[in-house]
Amino acid sequence: MHIGFRTSGGRGEYEIVSGASGQSASDLEGWTFHMLWPDGKLRDTQLWLDPGDSGKPRLRSLVKPEFQIGRMVASMLLLPAPRRELPASAVGLPVIRQGEYFLKKVGFGPGTSFASPPESVQFTPNYVEVENREHTEQLGVEARWRRIEAIYASVAQQDARVATLLRLHQDQINTGEPITTSLPNVVNRIVAALAEADPAYVEGHDPLPALERRVGIQIADVPDLPPPDDIGEEDVEVRVRSAHDYRLSKARGPSAREFSKAVREAYRHRCLFCGVVLGGFGGLPSGVDAAHILAWTNYDLDVVSNGMALCRLHHWAFDAAIMVPVLQGGKYHLRFTTRANALLTADARAYLLAEDGLEVPEEWLPDDRNDWPKKKYLERFYDDLSIVLA
Ligand SMILES: [Zn+2]
């Protein structure tokens, strides 16, 4: 479940969007919303779900002036002010620019609870999605909050005026009281003061990287989104994106080289999905990738049975969760997911796979059966990415 932004009808509005998991938006009509922030404080958002006259219920402010959840969360995350309508964004610029993007989603994390009476949702925001006309990006709330805490902790090293404003930001959040429209104003002033103090900072862009650079904070190259299984079941796109980030991070990790070598050799440089053999002998480097099935759990992940050798094309198809191996009766079958039907043309599907359900010949698999993709990894992967077969 998440809070989603709707632009249609000229005025931007937020509504509750839910899918498979239990509660539906209409069950929550009249409910109020409390937000459990990563600082451990539970705040009244002063929002409630207004059934309205017709159609979908909207999130409305109980206070005037109306304070939308998007502006509230953006200001807490030190993001410059979003806007309410679809912006006419310029090409090739970052998504986050003051007044040039909107905050499209606030994802509910696994700590979210629904209490009744009184009818109140306590949600843990775990990611936000920002969008302009060109691009969509997701930011993990917890990871970004930890970065902001590090900025608070080193505030004395900032330019004096920026430091004063950052302390004001911290003080307002520390009260645990409902966030008011004065917080976005503080962020606007931080943006303006930072632009004056730092010629390398483009006014209106995300100020956090510039604040970090000024005090010498290095950001670790790790995924900032929550793992896929902590993201709402219906937010499949975000789950797939998160899985991709974790796999990339794993592929760059310290044990990556050994894993990669072991998987490619076990598969004799053959793609599990199409059988093509690419290099790996006669001085030709291996042309297949070693793909992790899971990259975000506590299992022992760098074992061959959590990997597959895939050509670039099929690595892409697996990473995008449009094509998966399914173990049935001791045989692997290649199956399209519902995402393949939704996102690919018939031509593209035919290019990827001759026939949905194709059985993988045993000679495409490693000699040692212990190295075959393990059922427990595959099943966890289907669950975590909400995979539905076509
Ligand atoms: Zn292939």
Side-chain angles (χ1 to χ4, degrees):
M1 188 171 268
H2 62 259
I3 293 171
F5 184 74
R6 240 166 48 107
T7 49
S8 60
R11 60 193 283 205
E13 288 184 310
Y14 284 92
E15 61 196 23
I16 300 296
V17 182
S18 75
S21 52
Q23 299 283 351
S24 78
S26 53
D27 294 337
L28 302 176
E29 282 177 11
W31 287 47
T32 59
F33 288 77
H34 287 71
M35 178 159 66
L36 184 59
W37 198 246
D39 62 3
K41 294 194 171 75
L42 184 67
R43 289 181 180 75
D44 187 352
T45 62
Q46 302 183 293
L47 295 165
W48 71 295
L49 199 62
D50 181 357
D53 298 333
S54 61
K56 289 194 168 176
R58 309 269 180 260
L59 265 188
R60 300 243 184 258
S61 214
L62 289 161
V63 292
K64 295 286 172 195
E66 183 107 349
F67 192 26
Q68 283 187 318
I69 184 76
R71 282 181 69 214
M72 186 186 305
V73 173
S75 65
M76 296 174 82
L77 291 176
L78 268 183
L79 292 166
R83 60 187 282 161
R84 293 177 78 124
E85 318 96 53
L86 198 64
S89 48
V91 175
L93 289 167
V95 175
I96 295 166
R97 291 184 305 136
Q98 193 162 23
E100 294 293 335
Y101 72 100
F102 56 77
L103 197 139
K104 194 187 179 189
K105 275 189 195 175
V106 180
F108 289 4
T112 299
S113 64
F114 302 86
S116 172
E119 277 80 19
S120 169
V121 180
Q122 294 188 3
F123 68 99
T124 54
N126 67 343
Y127 74 92
V128 297
E129 188 166 296
V130 294
E131 184 172 281
N132 68 7
R133 222 177 256 281
E134 274 195 313
H135 296 295
T136 301
E137 281 174 15
Q138 292 93 13
L139 313 173
V141 168
E142 167 113 31
R144 187 164 171 109
W145 178 250
R146 297 300 163 220
R147 290 169 63 190
I148 292 169
E149 286 183 326
I151 289 296
Y152 289 159
S154 58
V155 72
Q157 299 169 52
Q158 299 282 353
D159 167 81
R161 195 170 145 62
V162 173
T164 304
L165 291 163
L166 283 170
R167 287 196 184 96
L168 199 56
H169 187 270
Q170 181 179 21
D171 289 347
Q172 289 204 13
I173 289 184
N174 270 352
T175 62
E177 294 296 310
I179 303 298
T180 69
T181 50
S182 75
L183 197 63
N185 291 335
V186 172
V187 177
N188 286 350
R189 289 163 64 197
I190 291 171
V191 163
L194 186 60
E196 257 181 48
D198 185 348
Y201 168 67
V202 179
E203 185 165 2
H205 286 195
D206 183 357
L208 189 54
L211 291 168
E212 289 169 337
R213 174 171 46 73
R214 290 185 70 77
V215 296
I217 295 175
Q218 303 267 334
I219 294 305
D221 186 15
V222 293
D224 86 307
L225 276 176
D229 48 333
D230 278 356
I231 293 167
E233 279 169 51
E234 74 287 0
D235 295 337
V236 177
E237 287 301 324
V238 187
R239 286 184 161 212
V240 171
R241 166 65 80 81
S242 161
H244 171 79
D245 289 353
Y246 279 82
R247 287 204 189 100
L248 260 190
S249 159
K250 204 93 186 71
R252 288 189 299 248
S255 51
R257 191 182 281 268
E258 274 170 57
F259 171 79
S260 182
K261 186 167 181 285
V263 170
R264 287 156 153 175
E265 284 176 1
Y267 283 81
R268 300 173 303 279
H269 308 279
R270 188 195 290 276
C271 172
L272 179 67
F273 286 9
C274 65
V276 66
V277 176
L278 297 170
F281 45 79
L284 194 60
S286 182
V288 293
D289 294 340
H292 278 97
I293 298 169
L294 296 174
W296 53 86
T297 75
N298 293 322
Y299 291 124
D300 182 12
L301 296 176
D302 288 319
V303 291
V304 174
S305 59
N306 180 40
M308 298 179 292
L310 297 173
C311 71
R312 292 281 152 80
L313 176 69
H314 285 118
H315 192 176
W316 168 81
F318 175 71
D319 196 45
I322 58 185
M323 201 177 145
V324 296
V326 176
L327 190 56
Q328 285 166 329
K331 305 278 185 194
Y332 293 90
H333 295 263
L334 300 176
R335 297 291 310 274
F336 284 122
T337 69
T338 48
R339 287 167 56 77
N341 288 355
L343 302 170
L344 295 181
T345 63
D347 282 353
R349 290 198 299 275
Y351 191 78
L352 287 169
L353 178 60
E355 184 200 349
D356 191 20
L358 194 80
E359 188 182 310
V360 175
E362 259 188 44
E363 61 265 30
W364 294 5
L365 285 151
D367 292 333
D368 186 346
R369 282 182 171 253
N370 292 318
D371 288 342
W372 291 15
K374 274 217 171 43
K375 201 178 172 99
K376 73 170 179 183
Y377 296 131
L378 288 171
E379 287 182 345
R380 173 77 190 265
F381 160 74
Y382 308 142
D383 275 356
D384 286 357
L385 267 66
S386 310
I387 298 274
V388 181
L389 298 175

